[in-house]
Amino acid sequence: MAILKVARLGHPVLRRVAELVPPAEISRPETQRLIDDMIETMHEYVGVGLAAPQVHVSQQIAVLECEAHPRYPDMARIPLMVIVNPVLTPVSEETAADWEGCLSVPDFRGVTPRYSGVRLEAFGRKGERIELVAKDFFARVLQHETDHLNGKVYLDRMGDLTTLCHLQEWSRYWLDRGETE
Ligand SMILES: [Zn+2]
């Protein structure tokens, strides 16, 4: 496995709509290696999600995981999950605003509105079909990662940029409000 270089905002790969992965190709060794490397990269940078365009691969693949976080023990947990060709549908119009950050927009945080609940349809890393309804933090991470596969970053969703903070100032003045990455 390998730790991959993370693309930062400004790299065109982050603004492209990523290619769908033909389901029959998910099991290919190259794809499986990419998924393993993405998981290792997410762990290395202590992210809760990583999308393939963030490692310069324009394919509809993302990984998510939120185990007990040393800095944020109260954060909701998400078991390790691989999603391929995800499609999200909001379950209602209800939205919630919370902090987000992004490995491709390093050292910033901003309050981002997201749907409170979404239905996910995707393939897993074995090509199996995934269908579930996610709420709250899990729904937020799914929306953040799926946005990456459609050429969007959380800044596009913020609307109002007045909460945008450098990490150091965020830690100093706003940390109590929780975080999403
Ligand atoms: Zn991100």
Side-chain angles (χ1 to χ4, degrees), residues 91-108:
V91 295
S92 77
E93 291 298 309
E94 189 190 333
T95 60
D98 206 346
W99 293 99
E100 291 192 25
C102 181
L103 297 177
S104 296
V105 189
D107 300 333
F108 279 96

Side-chain angles (χ1 to χ4, degrees), residues 5-17:
K5 187 179 177 197
V6 175
R8 302 203 305 176
L9 194 65
H11 195 297
V13 72
L14 292 172
R15 291 306 194 174
R16 256 176 239 147
V17 176

